[in-house]
């Protein structure tokens, strides 16, 4: 039997049975979610929501990338970590850490990449000290575990940054709409009874989880060198949180914070932005993002706010002066960083970098200005598309992944036009929302996060790549923010008074779509992580998805050739040869392009030994002659000559023509001593050839110099095991058995060979006899 309700007493049957008042913004479904997640601020469950969301983000990050912890070194890990003296601790912390680039090369050197990231290098140096070094698979896994933990910490800071953009400092704080504490009458806001604190925050949950699960972060986490992006992003998010809190505290009339404390907080914004830039250069764009937040929160309402905001406009206009001062400080600090960065480069090229060849960045060789502009705009559209559809990821873009756009009738310009119109529409919508009664600045801030970090990659200055997915780490926060705003708005149906059934349906659909997106993103992350296991795995994955990538497929061909798969190397090299055949002589004259000819020649020689028809030394030399003819177009082709001479010598030696090979190696060595004296390959090959032609006494100094150069370059003995073995044989032939034993023992510790073991045994016996005699 039902019970009759007393007059004047509300029903107390629970949140699931309450009906919202007519015209209320909320409905029964929202109240169920509110009761299931959070409650009033005086109850401890609100803190649990904040901790729960942060914990969920961190746990998801750790779960997604747990299979990346078994990865080894790959690509830039070798030059930036394994062989970097600044990371290994063999160079002094001061001043080398602030004098060298990210790869350990002096910033004022002509060969420097000009990437100044001392804090990222210091972090890796501390990592190396903790792990006990940088050599070997175990050390690589130790570095990967640091990446793993760093990303978990980063996503929690990102969640706080998303909350700060919506008016709170940590998830669950604030009203989830705006930093501005005034209503349309110019009075301080008071929370409406129809808008409880405990309302489920779809914006924050969606944005936070999408950021955590986004596959574009795999390179930053699964690659050791990608920690620069994660570290820079985490510090940039912290700078944004400080700026958001600064504005919130300053504009809240109930907060009587001391001016000195506020000024210190603003100084922290600039300091953290610089720190982010010292981890990776894109971190300095945090200053521009904070400037955009100033514009969205203060300038737009003050200058173009709706008539209903007359009192609020007056208040905002009184803030224009301080805001202009802050904006100027942000701009000047950014300019100061760029000036310092340019001076540290020690060259006249400023912020640009020297590009090796057409294969690295074809856009630098664009024949016309309209071609460069159209292609650059299209690349910006592709960046956005990568955020929307992060599947089929690629670690290296170059020729011929994104062909140049030469004219307006190219159909790819349609995507560019859609992108331009879409961004213009979003910008206008963001301005309208910022100028409205709600004062919602999130769209403007999200767009700033999406595009400000890409300004250095806009091809206004010369850069070393066409497109780099690693540059999307910071913009992914803006994308996640926009997606969270859309979900929040869509659930409300664009109308705060939407019927309860309609909102419930929309909420269910939003939950299903979000679940599908997160599952798809998570599956892509788990699938992509093993691709970064090592160089070979990454090259195979890239060739499988993008066989037209000449640079990466060339690396795979070289690896297959070293593994004895001459047929596989030949197939890839022929395809690459056909792709670059259509290029001009100038475009093909780069070292990376000409390397295609060298692998093709080597594979032809290897196949000729198997008796394959059409494969011969004469054909291989014809390929090298063609490469030499192309290189004649270069004014300074000494580096190319050194490379081609070395390859000729190597091929002739493999064919048994040691005397001719020795002649070419002498030429290569002479050039190498001028253009690249630290390169160990020329003295290694020349010393081996001298030994093979009976001049062991002459070959020993070359082989010793070769080993010395390799030790300076890497502690990995497998890199120069051949040189150690040949040096041991040379000493043996001269009767210096003790020296022969030393180097043959080192070689055997890396690679056991029966003939070498037999020679080592003889050397030991004769060394003992010499010692006794």
């Amino acid at each position: 039997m039902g019970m009759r309700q007393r007059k004047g007493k509300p029903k107390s049957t629970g949140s699931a049975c309450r009906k919202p008042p007519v015209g209320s913004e909320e409905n029964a479904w929202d109240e169920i979610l509110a009761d299931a997640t959070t409650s009033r601020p005086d109850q401890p469950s609100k803190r649990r929501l904040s901790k729960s969301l942060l914990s969920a983000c961190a746990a998801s990050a750790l779960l997604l990338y747990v299979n990346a912890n078994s990865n080894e070194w790959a690509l830039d890990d070798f030059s930036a970590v394994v062989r970097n003296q600044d990371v290994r601790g063999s160079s002094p912390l001061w001043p080398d850490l602030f004098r060298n680039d990210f790869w350990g090369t002096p910033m004022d050197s002509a060969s420097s990449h000009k990437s100044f990231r001392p804090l990222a290098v210091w972090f890796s140096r501390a990592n190396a000290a903790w792990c006990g070094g940088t050599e070997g698979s175990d050390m690589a896994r130790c570095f990967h575990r640091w990446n793993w933990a760093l990303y978990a910490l980063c996503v929690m800071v990102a969640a706080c940054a998303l909350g700060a953009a919506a008016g709170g400092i940590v998830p669950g704080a604030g009203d989830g709409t705006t930093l501005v504490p005034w209503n349309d009458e110019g009075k301080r806001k008071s929370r409406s009874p129809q808008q409880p604190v405990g309302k489920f925050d779809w914006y924050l949950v969606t944005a936070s989880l999408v950021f955590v699960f986004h596959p574009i972060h795999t390179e930053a986490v699964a690659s050791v060198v990608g920690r620069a992006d994660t570290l820079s992003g985490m510090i940039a998010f912290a700078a944004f949180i400080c700026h958001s809190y600064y504005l919130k505290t300053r504009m809240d009339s109930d907060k009587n914070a001391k001016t000195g404390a506020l000024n210190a907080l603003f100084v922290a914004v600039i300091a953290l932005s610089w720190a982010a830039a010292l981890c990776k250069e894109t971190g300095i764009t945090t200053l521009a993002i904070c400037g955009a937040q100033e514009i969205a929160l203060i300038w737009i309402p003050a200058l173009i706010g709706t008539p209903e905001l007359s009192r609020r406009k007056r208040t905002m206009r009184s803030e224009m002066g301080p805001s202009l001062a802050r904006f100027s400080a942000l701009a000047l600090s950014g300019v100061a960083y760029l000036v310092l960065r340019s001076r540290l480069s020690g060259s006249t090229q400023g912020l640009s970098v020297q590009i090796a060849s057409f294969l690295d960045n074809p856009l630098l060789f664009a024949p016309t200005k309209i071609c460069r502009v159209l292609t650059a705009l299209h690349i910006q559209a592709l960046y956005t598309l990568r955020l929307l559809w992060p599947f089929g990821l690629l670690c290296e873009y170059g020729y011929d992944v994104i062909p140049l756009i030469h004219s307006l009738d190219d159909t790819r310009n349609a995507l560019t036009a859609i992108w331009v119109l879409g961004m213009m529409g979003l910008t206008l919508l963001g301005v309208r929302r910022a100028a409205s009664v709600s004062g919602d600045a999130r769209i403007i801030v999200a767009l700033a996060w999406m595009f400000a970090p890409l300004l250095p990659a806009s091809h206004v200055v010369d850069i070393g790549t066409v497109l780099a997915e690693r540059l999307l780490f910071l913009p992914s926060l803006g994308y996640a923010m926009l997606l969270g705003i859309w979900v929040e708005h869509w659930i409300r149906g664009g109308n705060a008074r939407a019927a309860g059934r309609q909102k419930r349906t929309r909420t269910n659909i939003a939950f299903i779509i979000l679940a599908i997106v997160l599952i798809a993103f998570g599956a892509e992350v788990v699938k992509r992580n093993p691709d970064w296991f090592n160089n070979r795995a990454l090259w195979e994955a890239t060739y499988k998805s993008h066989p037209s990538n000449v640079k990466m497929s060339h690396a795979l061909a070289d690896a297959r050739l070293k593994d004895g798969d001459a047929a596989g190397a030949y197939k890839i090299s022929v395809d690459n040869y056909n792709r670059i055949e259509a290029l001009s002589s100038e475009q093909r004259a780069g070292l990376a392009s000409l390397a295609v000819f060298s692998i093709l020649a080597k594979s032809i020689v290897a196949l000729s030994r198997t008796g394959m028809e059409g494969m011969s030394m004469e054909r291989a030399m014809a390929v090298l002659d063609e490469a030499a003819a192309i290189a004649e177009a270069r004014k300074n082709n000494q580096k190319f000559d050194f490379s081609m001479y070395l390859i000729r010598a190597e091929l002739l030696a493999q064919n048994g023509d040691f005397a001719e090979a020795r002649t070419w190696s002498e030429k290569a060595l002479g050039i190498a001593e001028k253009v690249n004296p630290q390169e160990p390959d020329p003295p290694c090959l020349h010393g081996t050839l001298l030994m093979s032609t009976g001049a062991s006494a002459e070959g020993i100094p070359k082989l010793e110099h070769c080993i010395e150069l390799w030790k300076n370059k890497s502690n990995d003995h497998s890199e120069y095991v051949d040189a150690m073995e040949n040096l041991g044989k040379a000493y043996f032939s001269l009767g210096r058995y003790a020296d022969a034993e030393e180097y043959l023992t080192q070689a055997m510790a890396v690679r056991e060979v029966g003939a070498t073991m037999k020679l080592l045994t003889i050397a030991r016996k004769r060394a003992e006899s010499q010692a006794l005699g």
Side-chain angles (χ1 to χ4, degrees), residues 434-620:
S436 66
V437 174
S438 68
D440 191 352
R442 287 177 299 171
I443 294 179
I444 298 295
V445 172
L447 290 175
W449 275 110
M450 282 186 67
F451 296 112
L454 292 178
L455 288 176
S458 60
H459 296 280
V460 175
V461 297
D462 295 345
I463 59 174
T465 183
V466 180
L467 185 151
E469 293 171 354
R470 56 187 173 272
L471 298 179
L472 288 172
F473 190 90
L474 290 179
S476 63
L477 186 81
Y479 165 74
M481 193 181 298
L482 284 178
L483 192 59
I485 295 169
W486 177 80
V487 169
E488 176 187 73
H489 182 72
W490 187 81
I491 287 177
R492 294 179 178 177
N495 181 1
R497 300 176 182 273
R501 184 178 296 277
Q502 179 185 1
K503 290 188 68 176
R504 183 164 60 250
T505 302
R506 287 175 176 268
T507 301
N508 289 334
I509 294 174
F511 179 80
I512 294 172
I513 293 176
L514 178 61
I516 293 174
V517 169
L518 295 182
I519 291 172
F521 280 9
E524 181 67 14
V525 169
V526 174
K527 186 185 81 171
R528 178 65 174 166
N529 286 338
D531 291 346
W532 286 92
F533 179 75
N534 55 24
N535 279 348
R536 184 61 180 270
L538 194 57
W539 294 334
E540 293 283 2
T542 303
Y543 182 70
K544 183 178 180 180
S545 60
H546 296 83
S548 62
N549 189 322
V550 175
K551 188 175 180 179
M552 297 299 288
S553 59
H554 162 71
L556 177 61
D558 190 18
R560 288 186 176 181
L561 185 62
K562 291 178 179 177
D563 289 346
D565 185 8
Y570 176 76
K571 178 182 181 303
I572 297 175
S573 298
V574 168
D575 290 341
N576 287 339
Y577 175 86
N578 293 333
R579 289 189 182 97
I580 67 174
E581 189 67 22
L583 303 177
S584 66
S585 296
E586 181 183 0
Q587 292 170 340
R588 288 190 292 171
L591 293 176
S593 301
L594 295 171
V596 172
F597 291 87
S598 68
I599 298 299
L600 179 58
K602 290 179 180 180
S603 61
I604 289 173
V605 171
L607 290 174
S608 68
R609 298 196 201 100
T610 65
M612 180 177 289
E613 185 178 355
M615 304 296 169
S616 64
M617 177 61 70
E618 291 73 18
R619 183 181 173 187

Side-chain angles (χ1 to χ4, degrees), residues 263-566:
N263 291 340
L265 190 60
F266 184 74
V267 171
V269 173
I270 297 176
L272 287 171
S273 299
W274 271 64
L278 294 179
C279 294
K280 188 161 185 175
E281 293 78 1
T282 51
I284 200 63
T285 59
T286 311
L287 297 170
I289 295 167
C290 293
Q293 192 178 30
E294 294 272 358
I295 293 173
L297 286 173
I298 297 175
W299 297 19
I300 291 177
L303 299 176
I304 59 174
T306 57
E308 294 85 357
L309 302 178
S310 56
R311 294 186 62 183
R312 178 173 154 198
K313 288 175 69 173
R314 287 196 298 270
T315 305
M316 287 301 184
R317 284 173 182 169
S318 68
E319 282 287 323
M320 280 293 292
S323 179
L324 281 170
R326 293 192 298 270
F327 191 88
S328 299
L330 294 172
L332 288 175
S333 61
V335 172
Y337 167 81
L338 295 178
V339 171
L340 175 64
R341 174 74 165 70
S342 181
R343 287 182 177 274
L344 284 172
S345 67
S347 67
T348 57
Q349 64 190 43
L351 300 177
S352 301
V353 295
Q354 294 181 352
I355 307 304
S357 75
F358 181 84
L359 291 189
D360 297 305
N361 188 354
L363 191 56
L364 295 178
F365 296 80
T368 62
K369 289 185 178 179
I370 187 67
C371 174
R372 178 157 182 162
V373 171
L374 291 176
T375 307
L377 286 174
H378 182 68
I379 289 169
Q380 295 302 308
L382 291 179
Y383 272 122
T384 303
L385 186 62
R386 265 287 175 240
L387 290 173
L388 294 172
W389 187 259
F391 301 98
L393 299 176
L394 184 60
C395 65
E396 183 73 39
Y397 286 78
Y399 182 79
D400 183 34
V401 179
I402 305 176
L404 299 179
I405 299 177
H406 294 277
S407 61
L408 291 171
D409 58 0
D410 194 307
T411 56
R412 288 174 293 167
N413 288 320
L415 174 62
T416 306
I418 294 172
W419 172 77
V420 171
L421 293 175
M423 294 306 103
M424 290 175 60
L426 275 176
T427 303
L428 292 175
L429 177 61
V431 171
R432 179 183 174 187
R433 293 285 293 273
S436 66
V437 174
S438 68
D440 191 352
R442 287 177 299 171
I443 294 179
I444 298 295
V445 172
L447 290 175
W449 275 110
M450 282 186 67
F451 296 112
L454 292 178
L455 288 176
S458 60
H459 296 280
V460 175
V461 297
D462 295 345
I463 59 174
T465 183
V466 180
L467 185 151
E469 293 171 354
R470 56 187 173 272
L471 298 179
L472 288 172
F473 190 90
L474 290 179
S476 63
L477 186 81
Y479 165 74
M481 193 181 298
L482 284 178
L483 192 59
I485 295 169
W486 177 80
V487 169
E488 176 187 73
H489 182 72
W490 187 81
I491 287 177
R492 294 179 178 177
N495 181 1
R497 300 176 182 273
R501 184 178 296 277
Q502 179 185 1
K503 290 188 68 176
R504 183 164 60 250
T505 302
R506 287 175 176 268
T507 301
N508 289 334
I509 294 174
F511 179 80
I512 294 172
I513 293 176
L514 178 61
I516 293 174
V517 169
L518 295 182
I519 291 172
F521 280 9
E524 181 67 14
V525 169
V526 174
K527 186 185 81 171
R528 178 65 174 166
N529 286 338
D531 291 346
W532 286 92
F533 179 75
N534 55 24
N535 279 348
R536 184 61 180 270
L538 194 57
W539 294 334
E540 293 283 2
T542 303
Y543 182 70
K544 183 178 180 180
S545 60
H546 296 83
S548 62
N549 189 322
V550 175
K551 188 175 180 179
M552 297 299 288
S553 59
H554 162 71
L556 177 61
D558 190 18
R560 288 186 176 181
L561 185 62
K562 291 178 179 177
D563 289 346
D565 185 8

Side-chain angles (χ1 to χ4, degrees), residues 680-762:
D681 287 338
C684 285
L685 179 60
H686 191 59
T688 301
L689 290 173
L690 287 171
M691 188 191 71
S692 301
T693 53
S696 296
E698 298 176 39
I700 284 176
K702 302 299 181 184
L703 290 171
E704 288 177 336
H705 182 51
C706 156
I707 293 174
E708 180 183 355
L709 292 177
W710 266 118
K711 286 182 178 179
N712 293 334
K713 190 174 183 179
S714 173
N715 286 336
D716 188 358
H717 291 178
S718 64
E719 298 276 8
Y720 50 95
V721 60
D722 290 332
M724 290 190 296
E725 186 176 349
N726 289 329
L727 183 57
K729 293 177 180 178
Y731 278 129
F732 186 91
S733 65
L734 295 177
R736 296 171 57 178
Y737 300 117
D739 294 328
E741 180 186 0
E742 177 186 352
Y743 285 98
L744 290 174
T745 301
Q746 293 181 33
M748 286 297 300
V750 179
R751 181 181 61 195
E752 292 188 8
V753 180
T756 305
M757 175 62 77
K758 184 177 181 180
L759 190 65
L760 175 60
T761 303
I762 298 174

